[in-house]
Amino acid sequence: MLRGTIYTGRHKVGVKLVHRLRVFWEYRSLALAVAGLAAGGGLFLAGLQEAAVWALRATTLYGAVLSAYVVVERLLHRQLGVDIIALLALVGTLIIDEPLAGAVITLMLTSGQSLESYAARRAERELNALVSRTPQHARVRQGTDIRTVPLDEVAIGDIVLVGSGEVVPVDGAVLSEEITLDESALTGESLPVGHLKGDSVRSGVVNAGSPFELHALTRAADSTYARIVRLVEEADAHPARAVRFADRFALAFVGVTFVVAGSAWAISGLLERAVAVLVIATPCPLILAVPIAVVSGLSRAAQRGIIIKGGAVLEALTTCPALLIDKTGTLTSGHPAVSDIIPAPGGAADRCIQYAASLDQLSQHVLAASLVSHARERHLSLSLPEQVMEQQGAGIEGVVDGIRVRVGNAGFAYAPSHAPWVRAARRRAEADGALVVYVALDGVPEGAVLLDDRIRPDSAHTLRLLRNVGMERLVMVTGDREEVALTIGAVLGLDEVLAERTPEEKVTALQVEQEKHRTMMVGDGINDAPALALADVGIAMGARGTTASTETADVVLLVDSLERLYEAVVISQRSQRIARESVLVGMGLSFAGMIAAAFGYLPPIVGAIAQEVIDVIAILNALRALSVPTLRRRVSPETAARAARFTEEHVAIKGYLDDMRDSADALVTDEPKAAFERARSTEETLRTRILPHEFEEERELYPELGKLYGGPEGLWGFQRTHGEIMHQSRRLARLVASVDPDSPDPVDLAEIRRSLYALHAILALHTMQEEEEYSLLLEPAAS
């Protein structure tokens, strides 16, 4: 059980007193056992042998009473576990008058209970941390007054002050210009995370910078942190099938023990040998190791931002060879991002997005934030718009730096549907499953902006790793259009794509899979909730997922990253493997001791001490489940910083690649002389901007990648691509140099166009592959 409970009301119901009484009770039993054994030894040394024997007998009897209580309790629940062996061993030592062996067995049982309690508390440390960090009060600003109020009195719309080192009490939007948060308690990420004014932040994270103000978006009871702790408490309440497996295994072990003990007594005629067999067979590894390994796995998962709702789910994660996965918000980022900018004749991509983003700063449209974010990624300065008017279903207009700007559909932005560039934008949007927004400046079309839902950088890598750990079938099931879904499925190498499915049809698809094998389902929306509830294991992307999906799911990923799905599977596999190892090793050693005791080589006292050693080995082995390798590769802070810098530079590289493709298009649509000049400018950008970036990556970052891959041969694919980029670049440079700029030959222009298209394709794919690899290097080595 968790040693605490979260409440957002005035009074937190503390269970610490109950917990301390329980810990005292557990250690009191151990203290009495130690005292009894010590008293027997002291009296023996003082020459009071008879008193010493009675002290040891009393200690043995105390252990027998404790064991009898456990056995009777289990029998009342119609369970016959391994505790009966311990009871018979204690009774046997009393019958044959081996009080020292009985006292050692009592010490073994009570110390085993204490060690189990300590190990479970250590394993639950991260889970308990979620509860103990819950704030009880918040500071709310009303005008110039700041009041400290109980947390449940914070209302939506209140301005909350969060001091340095304080836990953010409710979900909200940042009102300060820039803040720094420690999100490790929720996500497991070690580095502080920066946020800007207007960003949404979740409760439960810690202010790692200066005090800041927050606009409350939820009440405390509905906040992310309260929901997470409720999920943790629900997880702790679920029993583990692995523990029940241990009991089933134990029944067979009880039978074997009785056969060996009975045979030893019958053949030798010595009850002492039967008692020795029972002593060495006392099955603490079965009683202790499995629950400790399970709780350790749950704890490690919570530390990595993965809430697994109980040991039964932890075990089920290892038994599902099929995965059904939603597209939007799961395989993709779940929000639109600018994928391309198509300038109108006479327009410019940077000018188009700069004015559109400046105007959209005051828009509430779902696409507005994407345009603003993209402009900032391109390091474009944005101005504050004036005279802003938004027309529902059409677009937004206003004045930016004296220029009237319109952003919206084609008709609203004066984009003629018959114009070639408009038709090209529409064709590209249809082919890519993208949205298109048109921009006009002072009544003249400036260009079109394409937005799509991008595949997560870690999706392909995570799916490959899932196949490596036993996932045999990967199926995407989505409500999106078929052509978009099929494209993503092909890129990610999925076994099947089921598109245009309603929530009911998702459930049907899941049932079809479940007829063949146990199946996991991963999703994040309300439409995924029915399938998540029906799946053998339902997994919700909880960072932005709906309440419905997180409450019906068996596993909740608190970090907005698909890689945690792989980690959840690996943690469950490792925990189950360690649990079984602990049982098999412990029972194997016990069985060997039973045989030795049956032949008279292990007297009861030696067997009791040997069993204590076996217990310690099994428990320490079970605690290994607390340590599980993560998906990300641990690198130095310097390497992580380089990877982050090169990833940021890719924003500019992608802009250059867009220009490269547009230059190739212009060689067909524009006047030859002007088109050639644009192609020559593109070649200069390639030579002075793109290639130096590629050379610097190969020189500064590739050696570090090589170390992670175990040698330079792991980078052969990247280096081969660099070679092809150099070949095509030199070819383009020779073609451009050979053309007469005053009268370019159409044949030469066609060759240049082919080279530009080839370079665009190679560089775009190469950049995407690098970002996928770099995304796994952004976590520095732990200190």
Side-chain angles (χ1 to χ4, degrees):
M1 292 291 294
L2 288 175
R3 272 72 172 180
T5 306
I6 179 171
Y7 291 90
T8 56
R10 294 175 181 272
H11 305 290
K12 181 178 181 180
V13 179
V15 295
K16 291 183 179 179
L17 179 60
V18 175
H19 168 54
R20 288 172 181 170
L21 288 173
R22 187 176 70 178
V23 172
F24 172 75
W25 180 266
E26 291 169 351
Y27 284 105
R28 186 188 70 169
S29 298
L30 176 61
L32 289 174
V34 171
L37 196 59
L43 291 170
F44 181 82
L45 292 176
L48 303 173
Q49 284 83 358
E50 188 66 23
V53 169
W54 279 107
L56 295 176
R57 286 173 180 164
T59 305
T60 303
L61 182 61
Y62 174 65
V65 170
L66 291 178
S67 296
Y69 175 80
V70 174
V71 170
V72 170
E73 185 180 42
R74 292 177 66 87
L75 287 175
L76 291 175
H77 291 86
R78 298 183 179 180
Q79 297 175 346
L80 179 62
V82 293
D83 309 274
I84 193 170
I85 299 178
L87 175 59
L88 292 176
L90 288 164
V91 172
T93 57
L94 289 173
I95 292 174
I96 65 173
D97 201 22
E98 284 276 1
L100 179 58
V104 172
I105 294 174
T106 300
L107 177 64
M108 175 184 67
L109 291 175
T110 55
S111 63
Q113 291 172 354
S114 300
L115 185 56
E116 177 189 16
S117 178
Y118 164 76
R121 282 194 296 275
R122 180 193 162 192
E124 291 176 356
R125 184 168 50 202
E126 285 79 20
L127 300 180
N128 293 330
L130 287 173
V131 176
S132 62
R133 295 172 64 257
T134 306
Q136 299 304 304
H137 299 85
R139 286 181 288 174
V140 176
R141 180 169 69 82
Q142 295 178 338
T144 57
D145 295 332
I146 297 178
R147 296 187 305 112
T148 299
V149 300
L151 194 59
D152 65 344
E153 292 187 6
V154 177
I156 296 174
D158 282 351
I159 297 176
V160 179
L161 177 65
V162 183
S164 298
E166 293 182 359
V167 176
V168 176
V170 295
D171 298 351
V174 178
L175 295 178
S176 303
E177 290 299 324
E178 187 174 356
I179 67 172
T180 302
L181 298 177
D182 175 4
E183 300 184 351
S184 59
L186 298 188
T187 68
E189 299 294 342
S190 56
L191 294 179
V193 179
H195 291 276
L196 301 175
K197 185 177 181 178
D199 287 355
S200 296
V201 297
R202 295 180 291 171
S203 57
V205 298
V206 177
N207 181 12
S210 303
F212 68 89
E213 291 186 338
L214 189 74
H215 177 81
L217 298 178
T218 65
R219 297 181 62 85
D222 302 321
S223 68
T224 298
Y225 197 59
R227 180 160 52 92
I228 288 170
V229 177
R230 285 196 295 269
L231 291 171
V232 172
E233 291 175 336
E234 182 181 348
D236 193 59
H238 284 66
R241 278 199 291 263
V243 177
R244 295 195 292 271
F245 159 80
D247 288 337
R248 292 195 300 269
F249 187 87
L251 290 177
F253 187 76
V254 168
V256 172
T257 300
F258 286 170
V259 169
V260 174
S263 300
W265 187 8
I267 294 172
S268 67
L270 299 175
L271 179 59
E272 180 182 353
R273 292 194 181 184
V275 173
V277 169
L278 293 173
V279 168
I280 192 64
T282 305
C284 283
L286 273 175
I287 299 172
L288 306 180
V290 174
I292 290 174
V294 169
V295 174
S296 296
L298 296 175
S299 175
R300 177 57 180 166
Q303 187 183 24
R304 295 296 300 164
I306 305 164
I307 300 299
I308 299 176
K309 297 181 182 179
V313 178
L314 189 74
E315 181 180 359
L317 277 167
T318 67
T319 63
C320 295
L323 172 67
L324 262 64
I325 188 165
D326 179 47
K327 179 185 77 69
T328 305
T330 306
L331 291 173
T332 64
S333 61
H335 54 79
V338 174
S339 60
D340 201 0
I341 302 172
I342 303 175
D350 279 355
R351 187 168 64 242
C352 177
I353 192 66
Q354 184 176 26
Y355 278 95
S358 295
L359 179 60
D360 268 343
Q361 289 179 104
L362 298 187
S363 174
Q364 298 298 315
H365 195 277
V366 66
L367 302 180
S370 301
L371 270 64
V372 174
S373 175
H374 185 76
R376 286 175 174 161
E377 286 179 356
R378 295 174 79 127
H379 304 292
L380 301 174
S381 60
L382 303 182
S383 302
L384 189 65
E386 301 173 341
Q387 304 175 29
V388 177
M389 294 180 295
E390 198 155 4
Q391 296 185 24
Q392 188 74 21
I396 184 173
E397 69 173 312
V399 176
V400 178
D401 295 336
I403 296 176
R404 181 157 291 278
V405 182
R406 279 195 167 200
V407 180
N409 60 37
F412 184 77
Y414 310 113
S417 59
H418 62 275
W421 72 275
V422 175
R423 293 202 305 270
R426 286 176 174 167
R427 282 196 303 270
R428 193 172 297 170
E430 290 173 359
D432 297 339
L435 301 172
V436 59
V437 174
Y438 297 90
V439 182
L441 306 182
D442 282 338
V444 179
E446 182 68 22
V449 180
L450 272 63
L451 302 99
D452 62 11
D453 188 10
R454 294 179 179 174
I455 298 175
R456 292 176 180 269
D458 59 348
S459 290
H461 193 73
T462 300
L463 294 179
R464 288 198 299 270
L465 289 173
L466 285 171
R467 289 194 187 275
N468 291 341
V469 294
M471 197 64 65
E472 300 172 4
R473 182 166 166 78
L474 301 174
V475 179
M476 179 170 70
V477 55
T478 177
D480 207 345
R481 293 185 295 121
E482 185 174 25
E483 55 269 26
V484 176
L486 289 173
T487 299
I488 293 176
V491 170
L492 297 177
L494 300 175
D495 297 307
E496 188 175 357
V497 174
L498 305 176
E500 301 179 14
R501 301 299 171 107
T502 65
E504 293 78 11
E505 289 171 334
K506 287 185 176 183
V507 170
T508 301
L510 176 65
Q511 290 172 330
V512 171
E513 288 295 327
Q514 287 178 315
E515 291 177 358
K516 296 177 280 188
H517 29 233
R518 293 175 60 82
T519 305
M520 278 190 249
M521 171 72 190
V522 184
D524 75 326
I526 293 175
N527 62 333
D528 299 318
L532 292 175
L534 182 64
D536 294 294
V537 179
I539 302 174
M541 302 288 290
R544 291 196 324 270
T546 63
T547 301
S549 65
T550 55
E551 289 184 354
T552 57
D554 302 302
V555 180
V556 181
L557 309 181
L558 302 178
V559 184
D560 191 25
S561 173
L562 193 61
E563 67 183 50
R564 298 303 164 90
L565 171 60
Y566 165 76
E567 290 192 32
V569 174
V570 170
I571 287 171
S572 65
Q573 290 178 344
R574 180 176 169 85
S575 298
Q576 296 301 308
R577 184 174 64 251
I578 288 175
R580 286 171 172 78
E581 284 176 359
S582 299
V583 168
L584 294 175
V585 170
M587 294 300 95
L589 292 174
S590 294
F591 185 76
M594 287 163 55
I595 300 301
F599 283 96
Y601 295 113
L602 278 181
I605 180 59
V606 177
I609 295 173
Q611 185 59 56
E612 181 78 0
V613 174
I614 293 172
D615 293 346
V616 173
I617 292 173
I619 291 172
L620 293 178
N621 183 65
L623 285 173
R624 288 169 48 226
L626 281 170
S627 175
V628 179
T630 65
L631 170 62
R632 292 191 175 197
R633 302 182 177 96
R634 296 286 186 177
V635 295
S636 67
E638 294 78 12
T639 300
R642 290 192 195 101
R645 175 169 64 86
F646 285 126
T647 300
E648 185 177 353
E649 290 178 6
H650 282 174
V651 175
I653 296 297
K654 291 174 183 176
Y656 299 147
L657 295 182
D658 290 342
D659 292 339
M660 182 179 292
R661 187 195 54 232
D662 293 340
S663 295
D665 293 342
L667 289 169
V668 176
T669 60
D670 293 2
E671 188 272 327
K673 186 176 179 180
F676 173 73
E677 285 300 324
R678 185 170 181 178
R680 185 160 63 176
S681 175
T682 298
E683 190 278 328
E684 182 179 358
T685 299
L686 173 67
R687 182 166 26 88
T688 60
R689 301 291 181 87
I690 299 177
L691 293 182
H693 167 85
E694 298 295 333
F695 293 149
E696 192 175 4
E697 279 180 315
E698 186 165 359
R699 184 176 61 255
E700 294 190 11
L701 198 55
Y702 280 22
E704 296 297 325
L705 287 174
K707 294 177 184 177
L708 297 173
Y709 286 125
E713 61 276 3
L715 296 176
W716 184 88
F718 280 0
Q719 293 167 339
R720 177 68 183 86
T721 303
H722 270 188
E724 183 62 22
I725 292 171
M726 286 303 304
H727 167 67
Q728 293 292 341
S729 299
R730 285 192 293 266
R731 184 175 185 274
L732 177 63
R734 289 195 299 269
L735 287 170
V736 169
S738 65
V739 173
D740 182 358
D742 295 323
S743 57
D745 187 281
V747 175
D748 293 333
L749 295 184
E751 285 297 322
I752 292 174
R753 186 175 72 253
R754 278 193 286 269
S755 289
L756 288 172
Y757 281 142
L759 278 165
H760 175 268
I762 296 171
L763 284 165
L765 177 61
H766 182 61
T767 300
M768 182 181 69
Q769 291 172 330
E770 285 184 330
E771 287 184 350
E772 181 181 316
E773 291 297 325
Y774 296 171
S775 69
L776 305 177
L777 298 179
L778 302 185
E779 184 176 340
S783 58

